[in-house]
C-alpha cells in the first residue's frame, strides 16, 4: 500500500476536473480526497502500487476536454488507511488557479433544452460541467459556487442531488440551476420573439454584457438601430442557427463557427442572404455567430430567423454589463429589455475572427493564457494602446490578455479599464511591479501607467506590434518586421505606421519607412481621407480635384502633423479612386479599397518603398488616363506588397519576417506580401493568436517588458 499526493495546475477548475478525479479514483478502488485550492487541484490517493500507477496515467491522459494541464507535481505521503474517496471543501489560498473561459452550450444540454420530458425543458440557464458561464460569473478563486454570481441561488433538492451524485453529469457543476431554483428571465422568450418580429430593438442580457438585438432581415429596423446607436456604417454581426443560409464558409470558417468558443466569424456573404443591406454595407463579408447560450438558442428558435446581435453600447464604448448601468445607457436605444437576475461579474464582448487571424480576442478565449517566450521575472501590467484597447498581465511564462474594452478615449472606457484591470489582478493574485506602456503621451493608458508607482517600460507602438507576433510564435527574434497600421507614436515625436524594422523582443532599429505625409487638420484628415489625398496631389504639383481644398489648404500651414502610416496611404488612394471621401469608422476606406480591388489581376508598378506621395499621384494619373478603377486598386495593392518585399530583400537578414499592424487585416495585402517574401526565401510569421490590430499591442508590450527586465 502507498499514498501519493498530487498538485495539478493549469485550467483545472470549472471544467469537471474533480468529478473526473473522483471517477478514476473509484474505478481503481483508491481512497483519499480531491479539492480545489487557489493554486489548482490537490489530490491524495492511497491503494496498491499498480492501481496508483493506473490512476496517475489516467489523470494525465483522460482529463476532461475543457481541462488544460500545465503541470502535475507528485510526491509520496504517509498512509492514512483511507478506503473511501471524497471531494473535500475547497481551500481558499494562493491565487494562481486559472479560471476557464465561458463555454458554449454543449450538445447534451441542448438535447435536454428541447426535450419536453426534461425538467429543464426550455430553461434559459441550463448548463453542466462541460458548458456554461465561467469567466464572466467567477468572483474569486478557488472556483466554487460561493465564489460565483450563482451564490445567491440556493440549490433545490433535485439540483442538490445532481450536484452531489458522482455519476451525474452535473456533479459539481458550479453554475447548476433549474427553473425551480435558478435565475429567471424578466420577460418570456415568446414575448421577446414577438417584439422582435414587430420590429422592436431588444436589449438582451447575455454572458459578458448586454447586446442589442433586432430582426436582421428588416431594413427599417436595422436602420433605426444604426441611428440610435450612433453607428453609421460599421458592420453588425448576425446571430443565426442556419449560417449556411447567410454565408458560404470555407472549411476553416465552418470549424470556427462551431468551435466551443463560438466567435463571430467573418465569412463571404451569400448573394441571396436574407439579411438587410444595412447590416454590413460596403463589404462582401458578413460576421455570423451561432447561438452560445441557452437563452440565445431559445430566442432564435422562437423568432425563427437571423438576428442582428451587437454590443449594448453606443459606438466604440465598452459593453454595458451591470443591470442599472444597462438600463440607463441602453434605455434610449432599446424598445424593451430581455434581462435576467444572474449577475455578470466581468464584462466580456464577443470575439471576432477571420480564418486567417483573430480580430478581437474576448469571450471564449479570455482569460486563457498566451505563451511568453521570455519569463516575466516580476509581474508585469501592460497598459495597451488607445483604440481597440486591451491590457495584459504577465506572470512567469504566461501572459493574460484582457477582453476587448473599446476605445479608451471616453471616460466610460477609461473607467472600464481601471475596474477590469483590478478584477484581473485579483483573479491572478498579481501585484504589478513593472508597467509597460505606449510612448504616445496623450493616450489615457500611457497617462495611467506613468501615474503608477512601479518600474516603467516605454515600448514604441510598432515594436510592440512586431513583438506580439514574435511572442505568440514563441520566438524572441532577431527578425525583420513589416508593421503597417494607421497611427503610432514614433521615437521622434511624429506619427509612424509604414515601418520596416529589424528587432528582437528587447529593441528595434528602423530600417525603412513610408515618407511622412501631412494630415491637413490633424484628426479631421483621418475622418476625411480626401484631405490627405489633396495634400499629396498638391505636393506633386497636380491639380486637386476637390473644390473644398480651397478652404482647407491653409491647415497645411497651421495644423498638419506628419504621418508615415500605411493606413493614411490606403485612405488617400481610396479618396483618389472615388471609393470614399470621408469615413465613419477606422479602416473603412481601406476595407472598401480592398473590396474594389477584389481578385482583379494586376502587376506591381515600379515604385520604391517609401514615397507615398508618388504612389497616390500614380493612382490619380492612371485614373485620369482612363484606367479601370478596380485594376488601379489591384495594382496599388500589388505595388505596396512588392515594394515592401523588395525593401526586405535589401535588408537581407535575418531570414525571419513578422507581419503585423492593423493594415495587415487587408487579406490581399497580407497574402500578396507573404507570397512575395516567401518567394524571396524568407520565413514569414503572421498572427494566429492575437489580433494584428491594436488589440494585440498590450501583449507585445508585455513581451518587450519581460525581455527588458
Ligand atoms: Zn452542458
Ligand atoms: Zn434546481
Ligand atoms: Fe497600431
Amino acid at each position: 500500500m502507498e499514498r501519493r499526493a498530487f498538485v495539478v495546475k493549469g485550467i483545472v477548475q470549472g471544467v469537471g476536473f474533480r468529478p473526473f478525479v473522483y471517477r478514476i479514483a473509484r474505478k481503481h478502488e483508491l481512497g483519499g480526497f480531491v479539492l480545489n485550492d487557489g493554486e489548482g487541484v490537490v489530490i491524495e490517493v492511497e491503494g496498491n502500487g499498480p492501481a496508483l500507477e493506473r490512476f496517475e496515467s489516467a489523470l494525465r491522459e483522460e482529463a476532461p476536454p475543457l481541462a488544460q494541464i500545465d503541470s502535475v507535481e507528485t510526491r509520496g505521503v504517509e498512509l492514512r488507511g483511507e478506503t473511501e474517496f471524497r471531494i473535500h471543501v475547497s481551500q481558499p489560498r494562493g491565487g494562481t488557479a486559472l479560471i476557464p473561459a465561458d463555454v458554449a452550450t454543449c450538445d447534451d444540454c441542448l438535447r435536454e433544452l428541447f426535450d419536453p420530458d426534461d425538467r429543464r425543458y426550455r430553461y434559459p440557464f441550463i448548463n453542466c460541467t462541460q458548458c456554461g458561464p465561467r469567466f464572466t460569473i467567477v468572483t474569486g478563486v478557488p472556483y466554487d459556487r460561493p465564489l460565483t454570481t450563482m451564490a445567491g441561488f440556493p440549490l433545490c433538492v433535485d439540483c442538490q442531488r445532481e450536484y452531489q451524485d458522482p455519476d451525474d453529469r452535473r456533479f459539481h457543476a458550479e453554475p447548476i440551476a433549474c427553473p425551480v431554483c435558478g435565475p429567471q428571465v424578466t420577460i418570456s422568450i415568446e414575448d421577446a420573439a414577438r417584439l422582435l418580429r414587430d420590429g422592436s430593438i431588444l436589449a438582451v442580457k447575455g454572458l459578458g454584457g448586454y447586446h442589442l438585438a433586432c430582426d436582421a432581415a428588416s431594413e427599417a429596423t436595422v436602420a433605426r438601430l444604426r441611428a440610435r446607436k450612433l453607428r453609421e456604417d460599421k458592420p453588425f454581426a448576425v446571430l443565426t442557427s442556419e449560417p449556411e443560409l447567410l454565408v458560404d464558409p470555407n472549411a476553416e470558417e465552418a470549424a470556427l463557427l462551431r468551435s466551443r468558443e463560438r466567435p463571430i466569424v467573418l465569412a463571404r456573404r451569400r448573394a441571396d442572404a436574407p439579411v438587410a443591406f444595412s447590416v454590413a454595407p460596403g463589404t462582401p463579408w458578413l460576421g455570423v455567430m451561432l447561438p452560445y447560450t441557452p437563452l440565445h438558442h431559445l430566442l432564435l428558435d422562437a423568432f425563427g430567423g437571423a438576428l442582428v446581435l451587437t454590443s449594448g453600447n453606443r459606438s466604440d464604448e465598452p459593453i454595458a454589463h451591470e443591470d442599472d448601468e444597462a438600463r440607463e445607457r441602453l434605455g434610449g436605444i432599446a424598445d424593451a429589455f430581455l434581462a435576467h437576475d444572474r449577475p455578470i461579474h466581468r464584462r466580456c464582448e464577443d470575439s471576432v475572427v477571420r480564418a486567417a487571424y483573430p480580430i478581437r480576442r474576448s469571450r471564449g478565449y479570455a482569460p486563457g493564457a498566451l505563451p511568453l517566450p521570455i519569463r516575466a521575472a516580476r509581474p508585469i501590467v501592460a497598459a495597451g494602446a488607445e483604440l481597440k484597447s486591451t491590457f495584459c498581465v504577465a506572470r512567469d511564462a504566461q501572459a493574460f490578455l484582457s477582453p476587448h474594452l473599446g476605445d479608451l478615449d471616453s471616460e466610460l472606457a477609461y473607467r472600464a479599464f481601471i475596474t477590469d484591470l483590478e478584477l484581473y489582478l485579483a483573479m491572478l493574485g498579481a501585484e504589478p511591479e513593472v508597467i509597460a506602456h505606449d510612448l504616445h503621451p496623450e493616450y489615457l493608458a500611457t497617462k495611467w501607467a506613468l501615474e503608477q508607482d512601479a518600474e516603467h517600460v516605454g515600448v514604441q507602438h510598432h515594436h510592440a506590434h512586431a513583438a506580439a507576433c514574435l511572442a505568440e510564435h514563441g520566438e524572441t527574434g532577431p527578425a525583420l518586421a513589416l508593421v503597417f497600421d494607421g497611427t503610432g507614436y514614433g521615437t521622434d515625436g511624429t506619427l509612424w505606421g509604414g515601418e520596416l524594422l529589424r528587432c528582437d523582443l528587447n529593441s528595434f532599429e528602423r530600417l525603412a519607412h513610408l515618407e511622412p505625409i501631412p494630415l491637413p487638420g490633424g484628426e479631421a484628415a483621418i475622418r476625411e481621407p480626401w484631405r490627405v489625398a489633396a495634400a499629396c496631389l498638391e505636393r506633386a504639383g497636380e491639380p486637386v480635384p476637390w473644390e473644398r481644398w480651397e478652404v482647407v489648404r491653409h491647415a497645411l500651414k497651421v495644423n498638419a502633423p506628419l504621418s508615415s502610416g500605411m493606413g493614411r496611404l490606403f485612405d488617400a488612394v481610396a479618396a483618389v479612386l472615388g471609393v470614399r471621401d470621408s469615413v465613419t469608422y477606422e479602416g473603412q476606406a481601406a476595407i472598401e479599397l480592398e473590396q474594389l480591388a477584389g481578385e482583379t489581376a494586376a502587376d506591381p508598378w515600379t515604385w520604391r518603398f517609401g514615397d507615398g506621395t508618388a504612389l497616390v499621384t500614380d493612382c490619380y494619373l492612371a485614373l485620369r488616363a482612363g484606367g479601370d478603377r478596380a485594376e488601379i486598386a489591384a495594382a496599388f495593392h500589388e505595388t505596396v506588397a512588392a515594394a515592401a518585399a523588395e525593401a526586405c530583400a535589401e535588408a537581407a537578414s535575418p531570414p525571419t519576417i513578422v507581419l503585423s499592424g492593423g493594415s495587415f487585416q487587408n487579406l490581399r495585402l497580407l497574402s500578396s506580401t507573404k507570397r512575395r517574401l516567401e518567394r524571396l526565401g524568407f520565413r514569414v510569421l503572421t498572427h494566429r493568436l492575437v489580433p494584428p490590430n491594436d488589440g494585440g499591442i498590450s501583449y507585445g508590450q508585455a513581451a518587450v517588458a519581460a525581455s527588458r527586465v
Side-chain angles (χ1 to χ4, degrees), residues 2 6 690:
E2 286 175 51
F6 300 85
V690 302

Side-chain angles (χ1 to χ4, degrees), residues 461-462 465 485 487 662 694 697:
H461 188 92
H462 304 98
H465 272 304
D485 70 356
T487 293
D694 283 6
I697 282 283

Side-chain angles (χ1 to χ4, degrees), residues 419-642:
T419 28
D420 292 7
L421 177 59
E422 268 169 30
L423 289 172
Y424 244 62
L425 291 172
M427 169 183 83
L428 295 164
E431 280 279 336
E433 294 176 26
V434 178
I435 310 256
H437 59 85
D438 197 272
L439 299 182
H440 202 307
E442 294 306 316
Y443 282 1
L444 287 177
T446 306
K447 290 182 175 172
W448 170 85
L450 294 174
E451 283 164 13
Q452 306 308 304
D453 181 20
E455 183 178 337
H456 298 128
V457 177
V459 184
Q460 199 279 323
H461 188 92
H462 304 98
H463 184 210
H465 272 304
C469 193
L470 273 176
E472 74 162 75
H473 287 276
E475 304 208 2
T476 59
L480 294 174
L482 283 171
V483 185
F484 293 166
D485 70 356
T487 293
Y489 199 78
T491 50
D492 58 2
T494 69
L495 301 173
W496 294 6
E499 311 300 314
L500 170 59
L501 311 178
R502 182 183 284 130
C503 67
D504 55 19
L505 289 188
N506 200 63
S507 61
F508 74 95
E509 179 190 352
R510 196 183 188 202
L511 299 183
H513 56 85
L514 290 181
E515 290 307 325
I517 46 179
L519 309 181
E523 284 292 312
I526 294 174
R527 287 191 306 273
E528 298 179 18
W530 72 270
R531 291 173 177 237
V532 185
C536 288
L537 294 179
E538 176 150 311
R539 263 184 158 188
E542 294 296 331
V544 174
W546 290 276
E547 274 173 28
R548 290 166 282 176
W549 182 236
E550 283 314 310
V551 271
V552 170
R553 74 196 290 273
H554 76 278
L556 275 180
K557 293 201 186 70
V558 291
N559 177 21
L562 294 174
S563 164
S564 68
M566 184 60 78
R568 301 292 84 79
L569 181 58
F570 271 77
D571 279 359
V573 170
V576 156
L577 294 184
V579 170
R580 60 171 48 247
D581 285 356
S582 61
V583 300
T584 67
Y585 66 91
E586 198 208 6
Q588 184 179 18
I591 288 168
E592 293 178 7
L593 184 64
E594 178 186 3
Q595 192 204 338
L596 174 62
E599 311 272 297
T600 310
D603 289 324
W605 298 333
T606 311
W607 180 66
R608 189 179 158 78
F609 183 78
D611 189 353
T613 302
L615 191 48
V616 173
T617 310
D618 286 350
C619 291
Y620 175 70
L621 294 177
L623 185 71
R624 248 194 10 196
D628 175 75
R629 288 168 71 240
E631 274 171 29
I632 299 171
F636 166 72
H637 279 79
E638 295 309 314
T639 303
V640 171

